Amino acid sequence: TVNPLPSDASAITGDTDVCRGETGVVYTIAADPNATGYDWTLPSGFTITNGDNTNSITVSIANNANTGTISVNATNGCGDGGSSNLTVNVHYIVADAGLNETINYGQNTTLDGGFTGETSGNIGYNWIPENLLVNPNVENPTTVNLTSTSVFTLTTTDNVYGCVDTDNVTITISGGPLNVTADADPSTICEGLTSQLSALASGGTQNYTYSWTANNSSWTSTSANPSVSPTTTTIYTVEVSDGNETVSDDVVVTVNPLPSDASAITGDTD
């Protein structure tokens, strides 16, 4: 009785372009009726998770896997059949959401996305949370004006090979809402003297502009700390803008009038 050797292995079918970290990848050859087993050789980083020693294997691909050749031959007690080979290209993408950043309350910023890796070059971008971005589907999106510290997640996708990776960046907000306090020193003066107004602004973008008005005259000022010499008690209003919003506050300067000129003196002149 002559037991035949296995036949030469048929062509291997399966993906020739895969991604690092991919699982459930299947490679198959035609079954050989004379084979009792199949000897598979895989590139570095490839692991058989199902079907070892059969004509169809399922493979997982490690995050450090590299391009290489899959080889298989059928075997039996008499020897081995000829092998079949398939070159498999390993691709990967590493997302980069950029460096953490601190900005002032109410400001926006542009996120600095990117990627590295072995890719097709046809890359899709998606950032979340989408509601905090003008356009979440570009590499370097602009945020809306931010009022609280936010973590942004970038997902990069190779649109040809399907490789995906994510990365995060934190935008920290410094300060708080725009606020202004108006003051006058002194707040009570005698007629003809001067009071120093001041606008103490805080929060917001810290890029402030000032606008003072008076309730009983056409007087105005764009100084943060103007001097005034009202002739009557006056309410001064300051508006402060940081480019995003405007707030205001009032201060009263009380004017105590000087005595009137003395009236004619009455009494004997002789």
Side-chain angles (χ1 to χ4, degrees), residues 113-202:
F115 71 94
T116 57
E118 296 290 337
T119 72
S120 68
N122 182 354
I123 307 302
Y125 301 89
N126 178 254
W127 294 83
I128 57 173
E130 294 187 355
N131 63 305
L132 296 182
L133 298 162
V134 176
N135 181 353
N137 298 313
V138 295
E139 183 176 3
N140 302 308
T142 300
T143 69
V144 300
N145 295 333
L146 299 175
T147 57
S148 62
T149 296
S150 301
V151 177
F152 293 89
T153 299
L154 168 64
T155 299
T156 54
T157 303
D158 188 320
N159 292 324
V160 175
Y161 301 126
C163 305
V164 177
D165 192 40
T166 63
D167 191 32
N168 298 324
V169 65
T170 299
I171 306 300
T172 301
I173 301 304
S174 176
L178 179 63
N179 184 62
V180 64
T181 300
D183 191 28
D185 184 27
S187 59
T188 299
I189 61 173
C190 293
E191 183 181 351
L193 298 183
T194 297
S195 176
Q196 180 73 55
L197 303 181
S198 62
L200 180 60
S202 62

Side-chain angles (χ1 to χ4, degrees), residues 31 36 41 50 54 87 129 136 210 223 231 241 257:
T36 58
T41 302
N50 190 50
T54 72
T87 297
Y210 302 86
S223 171
T231 57
S241 174

Side-chain angles (χ1 to χ4, degrees), residues 4 15 18-19 27 29 53 77 82 90-91 99 112 116 118 172 182 201 203 209 228 230 237 241 253 264:
D15 290 341
V18 297
C19 296
Y27 293 97
I29 62 171
N53 204 37
V90 176
H91 306 277
L99 299 176
D112 186 20
T116 57
E118 296 290 337
T172 301
T209 58
V228 292
T237 300
S241 174
V253 176

Side-chain angles (χ1 to χ4, degrees), residues 15 17-27 40-52 56-67 70 88-91:
D15 290 341
D17 290 285
V18 297
C19 296
R20 286 181 176 177
E22 193 170 350
T23 60
V25 184
V26 176
Y27 293 97
W40 293 86
T41 302
L42 305 180
S44 173
F46 286 57
T47 301
I48 297 174
T49 58
N50 190 50
D52 191 21
S56 181
I57 59 171
T58 302
V59 171
S60 65
I61 300 159
N63 289 325
N64 62 350
N66 294 304
T67 293
I70 295 177
V88 178
N89 302 303
V90 176
H91 306 277

